[in-house]
Amino acid sequence: MPSRENYMQLALELAAKGIAAVEPNPAVGCVIVKDDHILGQGFHERFGGPHAEINALADCRKKGYNPAGSTVYVTLEPCCHAGKTGPCTRALIDAKVACVVAAIQDPTDKIAGKGLAELRRAGIEIVVGVCEAQARRLNAPFFKFAKTARPWVIAKWAQSIDGKLAWQNPPVQNHWISSEKSRLDSQLLRKRTQAILVGVETVISDNPRLTVRIPDTAIDRPPLRVVLDTHLRMPWDSYLITTPEAPTLVVTSRHTAYTEPDKITKLSHAGVNMLAVNEKDGHCDLTEVLVELGSQGIQQLLVEGGPTVLSSFFREHLVDEVCIYIAPLILGEGGIADLGAALLAGVAAEKLTDVKIQTLDHDVKITGLLNYPDI
């Protein structure tokens, strides 16, 4: 006979299918069970779409089952307020379910136990805490944002085996270090986030677009493109200024904003958003940047900068998750931008947790968490 944990694990697997489509909403899965028979299941499939509980109830009815008297397994406390969709608590009450088993309580002020309380008042049995650790990890960025109002920071880079991030003299045919499959995987990571950050040196050397490019996929909400540019050295012909594919935010120092008002005006007229922050060690104060991005609703931030920007985030212990693509190349003197050397210049030893290793073509992808226990 399946246990509560078995049904919740299934709900967690369903929830994971929504990652990179529902953000900044949490990924949620739901399984409806009666007499040890699964009547219906569903997950939150896209931002603005029906929640997991609504999809699971619809699945029940589509199969001809009545959910009355059933037990509902859901990975997050059901919502009790109307947003882009109606409250899930009302739908569960109307369906006359007997019990709701929630993996974890919703941390946001709008809910924070209110959904469970409403269900209890309706006479529905409530159980909380089944597979709680897995549910918290699944939506770690959502929980961090609710607690701190600051984004979950993902540091991502591709490197050769000897730690080089780029070619000294790129080949004519293929200047990429990582494989095509790795590059597509990184686009899925971009799709999951609400902002992508680089330093001005990356803009000067690479002129990136910082957009999500996935074949046959329309991107409804492109991530904000963020550039750290303390002294406003960004070239005027860079794609981040000239292309309207996604919004761009240039972060500079308050001193530069005061001394270069004409540049600020010109960038603003070009459609670029501007943010002035304090300086720290000659660069934009990263903590202040994160606070400002959080105030704009940025829940997940992908840092794709070079070694200077990446090492700065590590040095200030601001990285929550890493994603590294290691290619089977030894570039030696033919490579530049040695991240390892930059990190050794002042970053204390860090230990990854929840490490996952995957092969993509001939590349090795390593992911792990850093500040997760602090959530």
Side-chain angles (χ1 to χ4, degrees):
M1 179 184 298
S3 65
R4 283 176 170 171
E5 287 74 17
N6 294 142
Y7 289 126
M8 190 62 77
Q9 286 292 343
L10 175 57
L12 288 165
E13 292 171 11
L14 289 167
K17 295 181 178 181
I19 292 175
V22 301
E23 290 83 1
N25 284 351
V28 181
C30 181
V31 177
I32 300 176
V33 179
K34 188 174 182 180
D35 298 328
D36 294 318
H37 177 68
I38 295 177
L39 305 184
Q41 55 190 14
F43 64 98
H44 185 27
E45 298 179 12
R46 60 180 179 81
F47 178 78
H51 288 185
E53 299 93 321
I54 305 303
N55 285 331
L57 288 170
D59 188 43
C60 278
R61 292 168 182 134
K62 181 180 177 181
K63 294 174 179 175
Y65 296 126
N66 183 351
S70 64
T71 296
V72 176
Y73 293 85
V74 62
T75 58
L76 186 69
E77 174 185 2
C79 67
C80 54
H81 68 283
K84 290 183 177 295
T85 61
C88 293
T89 50
R90 186 72 259 165
L92 293 171
I93 292 169
D94 290 344
K96 296 180 171 56
V97 305
C99 177
V100 170
V101 180
I104 193 168
Q105 182 175 298
D106 190 303
T108 58
D109 292 338
K110 285 184 177 180
I111 304 175
K114 299 182 185 72
L116 297 175
E118 182 177 328
L119 294 171
R120 281 195 188 97
R121 287 194 297 271
I124 296 173
E125 181 186 355
I126 299 298
V127 178
V128 184
V130 178
C131 300
E132 179 177 347
Q134 297 96 311
R136 185 182 294 275
R137 168 62 190 98
L138 178 74
N139 285 306
F142 175 73
F143 281 92
K144 179 189 177 181
F145 189 78
K147 179 180 178 180
T148 68
R150 283 164 47 173
W152 178 265
V153 177
I154 308 164
K156 167 256 172 181
W157 68 91
Q159 66 170 67
S160 61
I161 291 175
D162 55 343
K164 302 301 174 64
L165 274 63
W167 298 84
Q168 180 75 46
N169 296 298
V172 176
Q173 295 297 323
N174 183 11
H175 65 281
W176 302 101
I177 285 181
S178 57
S179 69
E180 183 177 354
K181 188 175 288 188
S182 292
R183 296 196 298 275
L184 177 58
D185 186 80
S186 71
Q187 293 296 316
L188 295 173
L189 183 59
R190 283 185 175 185
K191 187 173 182 287
R192 169 186 143 192
T193 62
Q194 292 81 56
I196 305 168
L197 182 147
V198 297
V200 69
E201 292 294 347
T202 295
V203 179
I204 292 171
S205 61
D206 298 343
N207 193 18
R209 291 181 180 269
L210 299 185
T211 54
V212 180
R213 300 181 298 278
I214 302 174
D216 303 318
T217 301
I219 306 302
D220 297 328
R221 297 170 295 121
L224 175 70
R225 305 179 291 188
V226 183
V227 182
L228 300 180
D229 190 0
T230 309
H231 304 294
L232 291 183
R233 297 186 295 121
M234 191 166 160
W236 293 103
D237 61 350
S238 67
Y239 287 131
L240 300 186
I241 295 176
T242 61
T243 61
E245 301 164 283
T248 297
L249 173 68
V250 171
V251 183
T252 192
S253 72
R254 286 192 168 87
H255 175 74
T256 301
Y258 178 76
T259 58
E260 301 282 1
D262 291 343
K263 286 186 178 180
I264 296 290
T265 300
K266 186 175 179 181
L267 284 166
S268 297
H269 286 166
V272 174
N273 300 307
M274 300 299 302
L275 172 63
V277 299
N278 292 319
E279 284 190 35
K280 184 176 181 180
D281 299 326
H283 301 285
C284 293
D285 187 322
L286 296 182
T287 299
E288 189 175 349
V289 172
L290 293 182
V291 170
E292 290 292 338
L293 290 177
S295 72
Q296 297 181 30
I298 303 299
Q299 187 187 102
Q300 296 192 58
L301 172 68
L302 180 61
V303 178
E304 290 193 355
T308 300
V309 169
L310 285 166
S311 61
S312 295
F313 272 89
F314 279 108
R315 188 175 298 112
E316 297 190 34
H317 303 285
L318 297 174
V319 177
D320 298 292
E321 180 179 349
V322 299
C323 179
I324 312 164
Y325 300 92
I326 303 176
L329 298 170
I330 299 177
L331 297 184
E333 295 300 320
I336 57 174
D338 190 331
L339 179 60
L343 291 177
L344 289 172
V347 179
E350 300 273 13
K351 183 176 181 179
L352 294 180
T353 60
D354 196 34
V355 176
K356 294 181 174 62
I357 301 174
Q358 178 183 1
T359 56
L360 298 167
D361 287 336
H362 298 297
D363 296 349
V364 175
K365 174 187 176 184
I366 301 176
T367 60
L369 307 183
L370 282 171
N371 295 325
Y372 178 59
D374 297 333
I375 296 173

